[in-house]
Each structure stands twice: as C-alpha cells, then as structure tokens.
Amino acid sequence: MKAAVFDCHSGIAGDMTIGAFLDAGFDFGLLKREISKLGLHGVRLAARKTRRGILAGTKFEVMIRRSAHGTHTSLADIQNRIQKSRIHPGIKALALKIFRTLAQAEAKVHGTTLSRVMLHEAGAIDAIVDVVGTAAIFHHLALRRIFVRDLSAGGGEVHAGSHGKVGAPSPVTLELLKGFPVTFVANPHEMVTPTGAAILAALAERTTGPVALEVE
C-alpha cells in the first residue's frame, strides 16, 4: 500500500500540490496527456524549477488564453465536464469527490443547496486543471492513504469572487479544514486556498497527532 504525507508548513493550494509531486519525480508529460483529455481550449501547462529563499522546488502553472477564462460555474457544470471527458474512471471519481466536498462547504457557508451553489475561483479553468491533475497523480501513483502534518494557515484578506473581500483563511477554507491540526501563523497572506483545502478534506485522513515516518 502506498501512502503520501503532506507537510504543509507553507500552506497548500492546487498548483502547489501538483508542483510538489512534479518535483518529487512525477512525469510531467503524463500529467499533460491526462489534462488534455478534458478537451480544454486555450490552455497551456508549464513547470519550471524555482527557488524560495534557500529552498528549491517546482512551480506548476496553468496559462489560459484570455478568451478561455471562466470565473464561476455550478457543481453540475463541472461534473458534466469531467464525466464527458476521456479521463480514466478512477481519476474522474477522485476529481468529482474533491469538487463535491468543496461544493458542500460552499453550500453550508452560504446557506444554500448543492444544486444552487456557485463555485467561484474553483470553477475557473485553472482550478479544474489543478483538481483533475491532482486526481490523475493520485491515481497513477496508486496512493491509498494520505496524511497531513504541519498544516499552517496565514491571514490577511482574500478576494472571494462576487462576495468581495473576506478574511483569510476564507470561511469556506475554514469549513473544509475542520478536524485537521491547523497552526495559524503571522503571515498576512492566504496560505491555504479553498482548492487546496478541498483536496485534503476529500482525500486525506484527519489526525491530531504527528505522522511517524519510516525511511528505508
């Protein structure tokens, strides 16, 4: 059985998740082939080595032609796009679970139903790529258990689509992080995005203690 440990001392976002796996050796060509099965137009993927302070890593980017941009959509629209794509059923199932988890949190926070909730930033094309890409990586690596440790969240404000500015972490992110051991640090930036939180809420195990690592 394969497991992964998310060491999120710098937070988590969809693009950060994919960048971490690419940096760990996941095949970027395979990722691009899987994303291409969504049939998106005007989208280009890039991965480049970068540095943050003394640390090196891989930056994953989704570049979208201006005419292809989208900002919000319904859960049903996203489900329909994924279901109609040519991606593997196992990848579809993981991606749909992430989006449904996110939509449930959005519905609760905004006092509405799944059929009426609108996904704002998460409905954008880059967020769809992040979620499906993460699902593809999990599927191809055959990951069965996901653990989280050192999950840090910052502060400040974040633009929440048509809702305007809200405090960070956003109410949706906080709803998704329930049950996870979160440390709030003095960083005036959004460190955990709704997409990143939804990935953890849908696929990771909630644990209150440290994760023991065995190195062979």
Side-chain angles (χ1 to χ4, degrees):
M1 180 187 70
K2 291 184 179 180
V5 178
F6 279 64
D7 196 352
C8 300
H9 64 277
S10 295
I12 183 171
D15 61 330
M16 292 168 65
T17 302
I18 293 179
F21 278 103
L22 292 175
D23 201 63
F26 190 83
D27 185 354
F28 185 42
L30 175 56
L31 176 67
K32 289 193 290 187
R33 289 194 295 274
E34 291 292 3
I35 295 300
S36 70
K37 296 175 184 177
L38 282 169
L40 300 173
H41 300 289
V43 176
R44 185 167 67 88
L45 309 182
R48 57 182 174 85
K49 292 292 184 178
T50 187
R51 296 184 68 87
R52 293 293 186 271
I54 63 172
L55 300 178
T58 297
K59 171 66 174 175
F60 172 71
E61 295 179 290
V62 183
M63 287 163 285
I64 308 167
R65 190 173 62 235
R66 183 179 297 274
S67 60
H69 270 281
T71 57
H72 62 275
T73 188
S74 68
L75 175 62
D77 289 338
I78 294 175
Q79 290 174 324
N80 187 56
R81 180 188 288 274
I82 293 173
Q83 290 286 21
K84 287 186 174 181
S85 72
R86 298 182 293 108
I87 61 178
H88 188 279
I91 299 174
K92 289 181 181 181
L94 291 175
L96 291 171
K97 184 176 182 180
I98 294 170
F99 273 119
R100 184 174 181 84
T101 299
L102 175 59
Q104 288 172 333
E106 289 270 10
K108 182 174 181 179
V109 166
H110 297 299
T112 187
T113 63
L114 282 179
S115 63
R116 294 174 62 88
V117 71
M118 299 299 292
L119 301 179
H120 295 275
E121 286 78 7
I125 290 176
D126 54 346
I128 294 173
V129 170
D130 289 343
V131 169
V132 173
T134 297
I137 290 170
F138 280 33
H139 173 77
H140 282 287
L141 293 179
L143 295 175
R144 294 293 177 263
R145 300 188 71 182
I146 310 298
F147 300 97
V148 183
R149 67 174 189 170
D150 296 335
L151 177 55
S152 298
E157 290 184 329
V158 58
H159 185 69
S162 61
H163 301 297
K165 289 184 178 181
V166 298
S170 70
V172 171
T173 297
L174 290 173
E175 178 65 27
L176 290 163
L177 292 180
K178 283 183 177 179
F180 287 106
V182 181
T183 299
F184 294 91
V185 298
N187 186 334
H189 299 94
E190 183 184 35
M191 295 174 64
V192 180
T193 68
T195 303
I199 290 170
L200 297 183
L203 305 180
E205 299 183 27
R206 288 166 169 79
T207 175
T208 57
V211 178
L213 301 179
E214 295 183 4
V215 180
E216 297 182 355

